[in-house]
Amino acid sequence: MARRNSGLRGLTSAAAACLGLAAGVFATKAAQHHSVEAMRTRLEHLEQQAARTQQRANLARQQRQHWELLSKAIDDPELAEVLDLYERPVTPERRRQYLFANALYTNLLCYYRIGNMGRDEFLKHVRGMFQNPIVREYWYATQHQRASLTGTEEAELGQLVDDLLLQLDEADTDEWWVVGEPPSGP
């Protein structure tokens, strides 16, 4: 009998050891699964961050190229004629001023798009920039060009500028820096 009991005890001990081993394996697998999920989530986050960084770099590169092209046109009246898309004829001097106004606005737009400023700050800069009558004239002269930008972020910001200019024109105060409704949204 002692032999049989020791056999059962050995079997029970072996079964308990197997169950303990199985529980350990299960716990290890669960911990590994959690670690793999955490790494996958972190990797997705890093990939999204890399994509945003690449987008910002692309925008900055495009902005630099835009400025180089505008600079050439500002410096060379013959090249500036290529960019003369205004509704009415403008003098070479005014065309150069319009090109520079375009560069100023595009620079603000780029700063906004890469995240260096929010909408409130964008509008504050625009509000000041559009106190210059030549910049306003440029804006109105290029209105038909912006009309084709429907459904884009640039179109949305252009509409904000149009709304601000309307509010500035209708304001009964000389304190232009306080005119304009704060934008709603991001």
Side-chain angles (χ1 to χ4, degrees), residues 3-48:
R3 212 170 206 205
R4 197 191 273 179
N5 281 344
S6 90
L8 283 177
R9 256 187 267 135
L11 188 58
T12 305
S13 295
C18 284
L19 282 175
L21 181 62
V25 168
F26 180 73
T28 301
K29 286 289 189 185
Q32 286 176 344
H33 178 72
H34 178 70
S35 294
V36 168
E37 280 301 308
M39 285 190 284
R40 186 188 59 74
T41 301
R42 177 73 177 139
L43 181 60
E44 285 176 2
H45 174 73
L46 289 172
E47 287 172 345
Q48 290 170 354

Short mmCIF file of all heavy atoms in Angstrom, two decimals, residues 3-48:
data_model
loop_
_atom_site.label_atom_id
_atom_site.label_comp_id
_atom_site.label_asym_id
_atom_site.label_seq_id
_atom_site.Cartn_x
_atom_site.Cartn_y
_atom_site.Cartn_z
N ARG A 3 3.50 1.61 -1.32
CA ARG A 3 3.99 1.80 -2.66
C ARG A 3 2.95 2.48 -3.52
O ARG A 3 3.26 3.37 -4.31
CB ARG A 3 4.30 0.44 -3.23
CG ARG A 3 5.40 0.51 -4.14
CD ARG A 3 5.77 -0.87 -4.45
NE ARG A 3 7.16 -0.79 -4.82
CZ ARG A 3 7.76 -1.62 -5.56
NH1 ARG A 3 7.13 -2.67 -5.96
NH2 ARG A 3 8.98 -1.46 -5.87
N ARG A 4 1.72 2.10 -3.43
CA ARG A 4 0.65 2.66 -4.24
C ARG A 4 0.44 4.13 -3.88
O ARG A 4 0.28 4.96 -4.74
CB ARG A 4 -0.64 1.88 -4.01
CG ARG A 4 -1.60 2.15 -5.11
CD ARG A 4 -2.92 1.64 -4.81
NE ARG A 4 -3.10 0.26 -5.21
CZ ARG A 4 -4.19 -0.41 -5.01
NH1 ARG A 4 -5.18 0.14 -4.37
NH2 ARG A 4 -4.33 -1.61 -5.41
N ASN A 5 0.43 4.44 -2.57
CA ASN A 5 0.25 5.82 -2.15
C ASN A 5 1.40 6.70 -2.63
O ASN A 5 1.20 7.82 -3.06
CB ASN A 5 0.17 5.92 -0.62
CG ASN A 5 -1.23 5.53 -0.15
OD1 ASN A 5 -2.15 5.49 -0.95
ND2 ASN A 5 -1.35 5.27 1.14
N SER A 6 2.58 6.17 -2.58
CA SER A 6 3.71 6.97 -3.03
C SER A 6 3.62 7.16 -4.53
O SER A 6 4.01 8.19 -5.06
CB SER A 6 5.02 6.33 -2.60
OG SER A 6 5.50 5.44 -3.55
N GLY A 7 3.07 6.18 -5.24
CA GLY A 7 2.86 6.34 -6.69
C GLY A 7 1.84 7.40 -6.99
O GLY A 7 1.98 8.20 -7.91
N LEU A 8 0.73 7.41 -6.19
CA LEU A 8 -0.30 8.44 -6.39
C LEU A 8 0.23 9.81 -6.01
O LEU A 8 -0.05 10.80 -6.67
CB LEU A 8 -1.53 8.12 -5.53
CG LEU A 8 -2.44 7.01 -6.07
CD1 LEU A 8 -3.57 6.74 -5.09
CD2 LEU A 8 -3.00 7.41 -7.41
N ARG A 9 1.00 9.81 -4.89
CA ARG A 9 1.58 11.10 -4.51
C ARG A 9 2.51 11.60 -5.59
O ARG A 9 2.53 12.79 -5.91
CB ARG A 9 2.36 10.93 -3.20
CG ARG A 9 1.60 11.48 -2.04
CD ARG A 9 2.42 11.48 -0.79
NE ARG A 9 2.13 10.23 -0.10
CZ ARG A 9 3.00 9.42 0.45
NH1 ARG A 9 4.27 9.73 0.46
NH2 ARG A 9 2.64 8.31 1.02
N GLY A 10 3.28 10.71 -6.17
CA GLY A 10 4.21 11.10 -7.25
C GLY A 10 3.46 11.61 -8.46
O GLY A 10 3.85 12.56 -9.12
N LEU A 11 2.31 10.91 -8.75
CA LEU A 11 1.49 11.32 -9.88
C LEU A 11 0.86 12.67 -9.61
O LEU A 11 0.82 13.55 -10.47
CB LEU A 11 0.41 10.25 -10.14
CG LEU A 11 -0.41 10.42 -11.40
CD1 LEU A 11 0.46 10.46 -12.65
CD2 LEU A 11 -1.43 9.30 -11.52
N THR A 12 0.35 12.86 -8.39
CA THR A 12 -0.27 14.13 -8.01
C THR A 12 0.77 15.23 -8.03
O THR A 12 0.50 16.34 -8.50
CB THR A 12 -0.89 14.01 -6.61
OG1 THR A 12 -1.80 12.92 -6.61
CG2 THR A 12 -1.63 15.26 -6.23
N SER A 13 1.97 14.95 -7.54
CA SER A 13 3.04 15.95 -7.56
C SER A 13 3.42 16.29 -9.00
O SER A 13 3.65 17.45 -9.34
CB SER A 13 4.28 15.43 -6.84
OG SER A 13 3.99 15.24 -5.49
N ALA A 14 3.45 15.31 -9.86
CA ALA A 14 3.80 15.53 -11.27
C ALA A 14 2.71 16.35 -11.94
O ALA A 14 2.99 17.28 -12.72
CB ALA A 14 3.99 14.20 -11.98
N ALA A 15 1.43 16.04 -11.61
CA ALA A 15 0.33 16.79 -12.19
C ALA A 15 0.37 18.23 -11.70
O ALA A 15 0.16 19.18 -12.47
CB ALA A 15 -1.00 16.15 -11.83
N ALA A 16 0.65 18.43 -10.42
CA ALA A 16 0.74 19.78 -9.87
C ALA A 16 1.90 20.53 -10.52
O ALA A 16 1.79 21.72 -10.85
CB ALA A 16 0.91 19.73 -8.36
N ALA A 17 3.00 19.84 -10.72
CA ALA A 17 4.16 20.46 -11.36
C ALA A 17 3.82 20.85 -12.79
O ALA A 17 4.18 21.94 -13.26
CB ALA A 17 5.36 19.52 -11.32
N CYS A 18 3.10 19.97 -13.50
CA CYS A 18 2.68 20.28 -14.87
C CYS A 18 1.74 21.46 -14.90
O CYS A 18 1.85 22.34 -15.76
CB CYS A 18 2.03 19.05 -15.51
SG CYS A 18 3.22 17.81 -16.02
N LEU A 19 0.80 21.47 -13.93
CA LEU A 19 -0.13 22.61 -13.86
C LEU A 19 0.62 23.89 -13.55
O LEU A 19 0.34 24.95 -14.12
CB LEU A 19 -1.21 22.36 -12.81
CG LEU A 19 -2.33 21.41 -13.24
CD1 LEU A 19 -3.27 21.15 -12.07
CD2 LEU A 19 -3.11 22.00 -14.41
N GLY A 20 1.57 23.83 -12.64
CA GLY A 20 2.39 25.00 -12.30
C GLY A 20 3.19 25.47 -13.51
O GLY A 20 3.28 26.66 -13.78
N LEU A 21 3.75 24.51 -14.23
CA LEU A 21 4.52 24.83 -15.43
C LEU A 21 3.60 25.46 -16.48
O LEU A 21 3.95 26.47 -17.09
CB LEU A 21 5.18 23.56 -15.99
CG LEU A 21 6.04 23.75 -17.22
CD1 LEU A 21 7.21 24.68 -16.95
CD2 LEU A 21 6.52 22.40 -17.73
N ALA A 22 2.42 24.90 -16.67
CA ALA A 22 1.47 25.44 -17.64
C ALA A 22 1.04 26.85 -17.24
O ALA A 22 0.94 27.75 -18.07
CB ALA A 22 0.25 24.53 -17.76
N ALA A 23 0.79 27.06 -15.93
CA ALA A 23 0.41 28.39 -15.46
C ALA A 23 1.55 29.37 -15.69
O ALA A 23 1.34 30.53 -16.09
CB ALA A 23 0.03 28.34 -13.99
N GLY A 24 2.77 28.95 -15.47
CA GLY A 24 3.94 29.80 -15.71
C GLY A 24 4.07 30.16 -17.18
O GLY A 24 4.34 31.31 -17.53
N VAL A 25 3.89 29.16 -18.03
CA VAL A 25 3.96 29.40 -19.48
C VAL A 25 2.86 30.37 -19.89
O VAL A 25 3.08 31.32 -20.66
CB VAL A 25 3.86 28.07 -20.27
CG1 VAL A 25 3.64 28.31 -21.75
CG2 VAL A 25 5.12 27.24 -20.04
N PHE A 26 1.66 30.17 -19.37
CA PHE A 26 0.53 31.04 -19.70
C PHE A 26 0.82 32.47 -19.24
O PHE A 26 0.59 33.44 -19.97
CB PHE A 26 -0.75 30.51 -19.05
CG PHE A 26 -1.95 31.34 -19.33
CD1 PHE A 26 -2.54 31.33 -20.59
CD2 PHE A 26 -2.47 32.20 -18.37
CE1 PHE A 26 -3.65 32.12 -20.87
CE2 PHE A 26 -3.58 33.00 -18.63
CZ PHE A 26 -4.17 32.96 -19.89
N ALA A 27 1.32 32.62 -18.02
CA ALA A 27 1.63 33.95 -17.49
C ALA A 27 2.73 34.61 -18.33
O ALA A 27 2.66 35.81 -18.64
CB ALA A 27 2.06 33.86 -16.03
N THR A 28 3.74 33.83 -18.72
CA THR A 28 4.82 34.36 -19.54
C THR A 28 4.29 34.81 -20.90
O THR A 28 4.62 35.89 -21.39
CB THR A 28 5.93 33.30 -19.73
OG1 THR A 28 6.42 32.93 -18.43
CG2 THR A 28 7.06 33.82 -20.57
N LYS A 29 3.44 33.97 -21.50
CA LYS A 29 2.84 34.33 -22.80
C LYS A 29 1.99 35.59 -22.69
O LYS A 29 2.03 36.45 -23.56
CB LYS A 29 1.99 33.17 -23.34
CG LYS A 29 2.78 32.02 -23.87
CD LYS A 29 3.43 32.43 -25.16
CE LYS A 29 4.07 31.22 -25.82
NZ LYS A 29 4.81 31.60 -26.99
N ALA A 30 1.21 35.70 -21.60
CA ALA A 30 0.38 36.88 -21.41
C ALA A 30 1.25 38.12 -21.26
O ALA A 30 0.96 39.18 -21.84
CB ALA A 30 -0.52 36.70 -20.18
N ALA A 31 2.34 38.02 -20.51
CA ALA A 31 3.25 39.15 -20.33
C ALA A 31 3.91 39.51 -21.66
O ALA A 31 4.06 40.69 -22.00
CB ALA A 31 4.31 38.82 -19.28
N GLN A 32 4.31 38.50 -22.43
CA GLN A 32 4.91 38.75 -23.75
C GLN A 32 3.90 39.43 -24.68
O GLN A 32 4.25 40.36 -25.39
CB GLN A 32 5.40 37.44 -24.37
CG GLN A 32 6.66 36.91 -23.75
CD GLN A 32 7.04 35.55 -24.35
OE1 GLN A 32 6.24 34.88 -24.99
NE2 GLN A 32 8.28 35.16 -24.11
N HIS A 33 2.67 38.96 -24.65
CA HIS A 33 1.63 39.54 -25.50
C HIS A 33 1.43 41.01 -25.13
O HIS A 33 1.33 41.88 -26.01
CB HIS A 33 0.32 38.76 -25.35
CG HIS A 33 -0.81 39.34 -26.15
ND1 HIS A 33 -0.86 39.24 -27.53
CD2 HIS A 33 -1.90 40.06 -25.78
CE1 HIS A 33 -1.94 39.87 -27.97
NE2 HIS A 33 -2.59 40.37 -26.92
N HIS A 34 1.38 41.29 -23.84
CA HIS A 34 1.23 42.68 -23.39
C HIS A 34 2.42 43.52 -23.85
O HIS A 34 2.24 44.66 -24.33
CB HIS A 34 1.10 42.72 -21.86
CG HIS A 34 0.98 44.11 -21.32
ND1 HIS A 34 -0.15 44.88 -21.51
CD2 HIS A 34 1.86 44.87 -20.62
CE1 HIS A 34 0.04 46.06 -20.95
NE2 HIS A 34 1.25 46.07 -20.40
N SER A 35 3.64 42.98 -23.74
CA SER A 35 4.84 43.70 -24.17
C SER A 35 4.82 43.94 -25.67
O SER A 35 5.15 45.03 -26.14
CB SER A 35 6.10 42.92 -23.81
OG SER A 35 6.26 42.85 -22.42
N VAL A 36 4.42 42.94 -26.44
CA VAL A 36 4.35 43.07 -27.90
C VAL A 36 3.31 44.13 -28.27
O VAL A 36 3.54 44.97 -29.15
CB VAL A 36 4.04 41.71 -28.57
CG1 VAL A 36 3.69 41.87 -30.03
CG2 VAL A 36 5.24 40.78 -28.42
N GLU A 37 2.16 44.13 -27.60
CA GLU A 37 1.13 45.14 -27.88
C GLU A 37 1.63 46.53 -27.55
O GLU A 37 1.39 47.48 -28.29
CB GLU A 37 -0.16 44.82 -27.10
CG GLU A 37 -1.01 43.76 -27.74
CD GLU A 37 -1.44 44.13 -29.15
OE1 GLU A 37 -2.00 45.23 -29.37
OE2 GLU A 37 -1.21 43.32 -30.06
N ALA A 38 2.33 46.67 -26.43
CA ALA A 38 2.88 47.97 -26.03
C ALA A 38 3.90 48.44 -27.06
O ALA A 38 3.92 49.61 -27.45
CB ALA A 38 3.51 47.89 -24.65
N MET A 39 4.75 47.52 -27.54
CA MET A 39 5.74 47.88 -28.57
C MET A 39 5.06 48.24 -29.88
O MET A 39 5.47 49.19 -30.56
CB MET A 39 6.74 46.73 -28.76
CG MET A 39 7.74 46.62 -27.63
SD MET A 39 9.09 45.48 -27.98
CE MET A 39 8.28 43.91 -27.75
N ARG A 40 4.00 47.51 -30.24
CA ARG A 40 3.28 47.81 -31.48
C ARG A 40 2.64 49.20 -31.41
O ARG A 40 2.73 49.99 -32.34
CB ARG A 40 2.21 46.75 -31.74
CG ARG A 40 1.50 46.90 -33.09
CD ARG A 40 0.31 45.96 -33.24
NE ARG A 40 -0.71 46.14 -32.23
CZ ARG A 40 -1.57 47.17 -32.18
NH1 ARG A 40 -1.52 48.12 -33.07
NH2 ARG A 40 -2.48 47.23 -31.22
N THR A 41 2.03 49.50 -30.27
CA THR A 41 1.41 50.82 -30.08
C THR A 41 2.47 51.91 -30.15
O THR A 41 2.27 52.94 -30.80
CB THR A 41 0.68 50.86 -28.72
OG1 THR A 41 -0.32 49.85 -28.71
CG2 THR A 41 0.04 52.21 -28.48
N ARG A 42 3.59 51.71 -29.51
CA ARG A 42 4.69 52.69 -29.54
C ARG A 42 5.22 52.86 -30.96
O ARG A 42 5.49 53.98 -31.40
CB ARG A 42 5.81 52.23 -28.58
CG ARG A 42 7.01 53.12 -28.58
CD ARG A 42 6.73 54.42 -27.85
NE ARG A 42 7.96 55.20 -27.82
CZ ARG A 42 8.00 56.49 -28.01
NH1 ARG A 42 6.90 57.18 -28.20
NH2 ARG A 42 9.15 57.14 -27.97
N LEU A 43 5.36 51.77 -31.68
CA LEU A 43 5.85 51.82 -33.06
C LEU A 43 4.87 52.61 -33.95
O LEU A 43 5.29 53.44 -34.75
CB LEU A 43 6.05 50.41 -33.61
CG LEU A 43 6.59 50.31 -35.03
CD1 LEU A 43 7.95 50.97 -35.14
CD2 LEU A 43 6.67 48.85 -35.47
N GLU A 44 3.58 52.36 -33.79
CA GLU A 44 2.58 53.12 -34.55
C GLU A 44 2.68 54.61 -34.25
O GLU A 44 2.61 55.44 -35.14
CB GLU A 44 1.17 52.61 -34.24
CG GLU A 44 0.83 51.29 -34.88
CD GLU A 44 -0.54 50.77 -34.47
OE1 GLU A 44 -1.25 51.46 -33.70
OE2 GLU A 44 -0.89 49.66 -34.89
N HIS A 45 2.85 54.93 -32.96
CA HIS A 45 3.00 56.33 -32.55
C HIS A 45 4.24 56.95 -33.20
O HIS A 45 4.19 58.07 -33.72
CB HIS A 45 3.07 56.43 -31.03
CG HIS A 45 3.35 57.81 -30.53
ND1 HIS A 45 2.41 58.81 -30.56
CD2 HIS A 45 4.49 58.36 -30.01
CE1 HIS A 45 2.94 59.93 -30.08
NE2 HIS A 45 4.19 59.68 -29.75
N LEU A 46 5.35 56.23 -33.17
CA LEU A 46 6.59 56.74 -33.78
C LEU A 46 6.45 56.89 -35.29
O LEU A 46 6.97 57.86 -35.86
CB LEU A 46 7.76 55.81 -33.43
CG LEU A 46 8.22 55.83 -31.98
CD1 LEU A 46 9.26 54.74 -31.74
CD2 LEU A 46 8.76 57.19 -31.59
N GLU A 47 5.75 55.96 -35.94
CA GLU A 47 5.54 56.07 -37.38
C GLU A 47 4.68 57.29 -37.71
O GLU A 47 4.96 58.01 -38.67
CB GLU A 47 4.89 54.80 -37.92
CG GLU A 47 5.83 53.61 -37.98
CD GLU A 47 5.13 52.30 -38.33
OE1 GLU A 47 3.88 52.23 -38.25
OE2 GLU A 47 5.85 51.34 -38.66
N GLN A 48 3.65 57.55 -36.91
CA GLN A 48 2.81 58.74 -37.13
C GLN A 48 3.62 60.02 -36.90
O GLN A 48 3.50 60.97 -37.66
CB GLN A 48 1.59 58.71 -36.20
CG GLN A 48 0.59 57.65 -36.55
CD GLN A 48 -0.47 57.48 -35.46
OE1 GLN A 48 -0.41 58.09 -34.40
NE2 GLN A 48 -1.46 56.64 -35.75
#
